[in-house]
Amino acid sequence: MFYNKSNMDWLEKLSLLSQETGLELDEESSGWREASPACYTARTFGVASRLLDHISYVTLRGGQKIPVLKVLLTSACEYDCAYCPFRAGRDFRRATFEPEELARAFLQIYQAGLVKGLFLSSGVTGGGVRTQDRLIATAEILRHRLGFQGYLHLKLMPGAEAAQVERAVALASRVSINLEMPATYLQQLAPRKAPGSVLLQPLRQAYQAAQNLQSGPGHRRVSLSTQFVVGIGETDAELLRTTAYLYKQLGLSRVYYSAFHPIAQTPLEDHSPENPVRALRLYQASFLLRDYGFAFEELPLGSDGRLDLAVDPKTAWAQRYINHPLEVNRASREELLRIPGIGPKSALAIIRARRLTRLRDLRQLRQLGVNVNRAAPYLLLDGRHPEQQLTFIF
């Protein structure tokens, strides 16, 4: 039976170790309450209700969404990062799993059909190397003793050794380490993470290990990601310059931006929360770097190094630099991707469609996935500006 009295201890511990893991982002996470799995039974629903806040969805390659448990191996931490709810010295109830204990607890949840994957992180105790060993031990038990072959996101700890990074990459579906913020702010707010090699070097090693794995016999792909805290004083330019480097040089799949919100009993508890719109604009700008062929120097940053919160960065760029509308029937893929409302999929759809027919009206573009409201001001369709057609397509 999945739920009985003997499970109470690890369920309570799991709840404690899943608190605040919403600060850790993974793909397109969304609340579990958006959709409960059809596999719920009366036997499992009592447990599920206790885990609701600790399960979220991630989107895999290809668009499939799966429920994932986010949990820490321990909420004890020897680091005193000024923004972190798990910082040393903060007064709250902490808990720790042993690797096998957590692996078996997760497997019960997985076998009950409540989740299909695991996001595993940890506070740092006994140094980053010892903590990384415990994370790897948990993953090895899951993979090799318990037979779990599903989605596994493993965190890399500050200062992890090269062999540990290589092993984590071999075990995981995704690995990540949070770069947190530009070095000047780390020195002040997270001094033990301040040396650049403590955070960036494991990410570089993970990139090389992932490349080796992909080119090896199994051609297995492991994705990499990182996360920044937004709203400590840094500029968008500082964050996006680093983002551009990470995408281009280290092949990251995603850079995440977590809008700062104050945590009680931390040095920043009186610091103002960051406007979530700023994080949204950073995401939009990072996608221009990753998916749309933009260089950092092309991003529409103000003289203060910040993006305009009132308009998305692609539209801001277009308003600033597109002086003449683009003929859809002749434009290259690179040119189409610069137009607001046209993404990689719709750009490809346009190129395929115009091999068969001349594109002459907005209805055609709309059927191809174009957001015509955003795109129309910057386009010509068969030599004509389509703005006057907008009232006829709704």
Side-chain angles (χ1 to χ4, degrees), residues 262-313:
I263 303 292
Q265 301 176 44
T266 67
L268 295 179
E269 63 181 349
D270 295 324
H271 190 86
S272 298
E274 184 54 88
N275 184 343
V277 174
R278 185 180 172 212
L280 171 63
R281 297 297 180 229
L282 284 165
Y283 277 121
Q284 291 169 331
S286 77
F287 296 151
L288 296 184
L289 296 169
R290 188 188 68 177
D291 301 327
Y292 290 79
F294 280 71
F296 166 76
E297 292 75 17
E298 295 180 282
L299 296 178
L301 294 159
S303 58
D304 59 355
R306 293 181 177 270
L307 298 165
D308 188 343
L309 296 186
V311 61
D312 73 89

Side-chain angles (χ1 to χ4, degrees), residues 69-371:
L69 177 71
K70 290 185 179 181
V71 67
L72 300 172
L73 196 55
T74 180
S75 55
C77 191
E78 61 197 35
Y79 284 12
D80 59 351
C81 304
Y83 48 85
C84 182
F86 306 109
R87 72 188 307 268
R90 185 166 180 259
D91 184 19
F92 73 101
R93 189 179 177 191
R94 301 178 190 257
T96 298
F97 271 118
E98 291 303 316
E100 181 151 352
E101 181 187 17
L102 178 55
R104 292 192 177 279
F106 167 75
L107 194 69
Q108 289 193 61
I109 300 169
Y110 171 72
Q111 290 176 336
L114 299 179
V115 297
K116 293 186 177 180
L118 175 65
F119 180 118
L120 182 58
S121 186
S122 183
V124 178
T125 58
V129 172
R130 178 180 180 274
T131 304
Q132 193 69 58
D133 274 341
R134 288 166 55 79
L135 289 168
I136 290 171
T138 308
E140 287 178 332
I141 293 167
L142 277 170
R143 292 294 199 214
H144 300 312
R145 286 174 48 191
L146 302 180
F148 172 70
Q149 297 303 313
Y151 178 84
L152 176 59
H153 181 153
L154 273 183
K155 276 291 178 182
L156 299 177
M157 294 293 102
E161 295 177 341
Q164 293 178 310
V165 173
E166 185 175 356
R167 186 59 180 153
V169 169
L171 291 163
S173 312
R174 163 167 287 193
V175 297
S176 64
I177 185 169
N178 292 351
L179 295 182
E180 309 287 23
M181 58 193 68
T184 51
Y185 302 94
L186 274 177
Q187 185 64 50
Q188 177 184 357
L189 301 174
R192 296 190 63 174
K193 294 180 179 178
S197 61
V198 170
L199 298 178
L200 193 55
Q201 186 62 18
L203 200 54
R204 290 181 175 135
Q205 293 165 342
Y207 170 69
Q208 188 58 58
Q211 291 291 101
N212 294 340
L213 199 62
Q214 187 171 342
S215 61
H219 301 288
R220 191 167 76 83
R221 294 183 64 183
V222 176
S223 60
L224 311 178
S225 67
T226 193
Q227 182 170 305
F228 292 107
V229 178
V230 177
I232 305 297
E234 76 296 323
T235 66
D236 297 336
E238 290 175 301
L239 294 174
L240 291 168
R241 185 179 289 107
T242 303
T243 297
Y245 166 81
L246 295 171
Y247 283 144
K248 187 174 182 180
Q249 301 300 324
L250 297 186
L252 264 68
S253 297
R254 188 73 180 268
V255 174
Y256 293 94
Y257 306 96
S258 179
F260 172 82
H261 72 266
I263 303 292
Q265 301 176 44
T266 67
L268 295 179
E269 63 181 349
D270 295 324
H271 190 86
S272 298
E274 184 54 88
N275 184 343
V277 174
R278 185 180 172 212
L280 171 63
R281 297 297 180 229
L282 284 165
Y283 277 121
Q284 291 169 331
S286 77
F287 296 151
L288 296 184
L289 296 169
R290 188 188 68 177
D291 301 327
Y292 290 79
F294 280 71
F296 166 76
E297 292 75 17
E298 295 180 282
L299 296 178
L301 294 159
S303 58
D304 59 355
R306 293 181 177 270
L307 298 165
D308 188 343
L309 296 186
V311 61
D312 73 89
K314 192 176 183 184
T315 298
W317 181 89
Q319 291 172 346
R320 190 180 298 184
Y321 295 111
I322 297 181
N323 299 316
H324 304 286
L326 183 73
E327 172 54 62
V328 172
N329 290 284
R330 294 194 302 269
S332 67
R333 177 181 180 274
E334 291 72 25
E335 289 173 325
L336 289 170
L337 285 175
R338 298 293 173 118
I339 301 299
I342 298 180
K345 290 182 179 179
S346 53
L348 181 60
I350 288 171
I351 291 170
R352 288 173 174 169
R354 71 192 189 191
R355 293 172 185 162
L356 304 174
T357 187
R358 193 87 175 156
L359 299 175
R360 291 188 170 91
D361 64 62
L362 291 175
R363 291 182 185 87
Q364 292 171 293
L365 293 187
R366 192 179 188 188
Q367 290 171 353
L368 296 173
V370 174
N371 183 329

